Amino acid sequence: MERTLVILKPCTVQRGLIGEIISRFEKKGLVLVGMKMTWLTDELLSEHYAHLKEKSFFQRVKDAMRTCPVIVCCWEGIDAVEAVRTLAGKTNGRNAAPGTIRGDYSMSVQENIVHASDSLETAKVELSRFFDPSELYEYTPSNIWSLYANDEI
Ligand code: UDP
Ligand code: MG
């Protein structure tokens, strides 16, 4: 099983879409193993978006992420990193495919509803950045054999 980080961005909190977006991941069959509301700091965001630090929009993107608290969550499943990225859709909501979260809920590059880890390696680093190990739970959902065949897990 893989674990991946999703952040419901301030635009999602402000638009009252928290429940709807969480529901998309739940309905897919991903298992929620950690979730909390937190107000991000510029320092943490500088680490999180370090790959963008040379871009002209670096500060703008960081500032947008701390206009209000966000929801950080950890989702678990087989190939969860790729499954979540596929659900999220392309970065730019305007050309993200319909059926994806960004395609269905966003008209913006910046205000694009969710952050999702882009590789297993990144997911591990990001989960340890946003969660204490004690905030992530180990459990088997009771519907596990309706989610997967026994040779998949
Ligand atoms: N972003 C932006 N303008 C750009 C590229 C990215 O505002 O031209 C923002 C956008 O909110 C995006 C975030 O920076 O989600 C991180 O960018 P990345 O390239 O990692 O995209 P993602 O992995 O979120 O699809
Ligand atoms: Mg990214």
Side-chain angles (χ1 to χ4, degrees):
M1 290 280 172
E2 289 181 5
R3 288 179 163 196
T4 190
L5 177 81
V6 170
I7 304 175
L8 306 191
K9 296 185 175 187
C11 55
T12 308
V13 175
Q14 297 288 12
R15 289 172 61 192
L17 292 174
I18 297 170
E20 229 164 294
I21 302 304
I22 295 289
S23 176
R24 300 284 286 248
F25 294 112
E26 286 184 314
K27 285 176 185 166
K28 176 68 172 171
L30 289 149
V31 175
L32 187 62
V33 297
M35 179 161 76
K36 65 183 176 186
M37 181 173 247
T38 180
W39 205 318
L40 301 177
T41 62
D42 188 68
E43 193 183 7
L44 193 77
L45 287 161
S46 292
E47 273 181 38
H48 180 63
Y49 284 134
H51 63 294
L52 302 176
K53 69 174 183 290
E54 307 302 337
K55 305 280 188 189
S56 58
F57 52 81
F58 181 52
Q59 193 61 45
R60 166 171 63 71
V61 167
K62 288 194 296 166
D63 289 347
M65 287 295 283
R66 54 192 193 92
T67 54
C68 76
V70 298
I71 308 291
V72 291
C73 13
C74 177
W75 293 96
E76 187 179 79
I78 296 175
D79 300 331
V81 174
E82 191 187 350
V84 166
R85 285 289 286 192
T86 303
L87 280 182
K90 283 191 194 170
T91 306
N92 182 346
R94 288 191 291 280
N95 53 40
T100 65
I101 290 169
R102 288 162 169 174
D104 286 352
Y105 295 94
S106 168
M107 279 294 287
S108 170
V109 183
Q110 177 177 284
E111 306 301 324
N112 60 358
I113 309 295
V114 287
H115 164 81
S117 305
D118 63 9
S119 70
L120 189 53
E121 200 183 10
T122 312
K124 285 181 179 145
V125 173
E126 291 184 344
L127 285 169
S128 64
R129 179 176 297 138
F130 290 93
F131 284 103
D132 185 82
S134 66
E135 296 173 317
L136 298 177
Y137 297 92
E138 306 259 358
Y139 67 100
T140 302
S142 58
N143 64 352
I144 189 76
W145 300 119
S146 302
L147 295 175
Y148 297 107
N150 59 10
D151 69 346
E152 288 179 305
I153 50 177

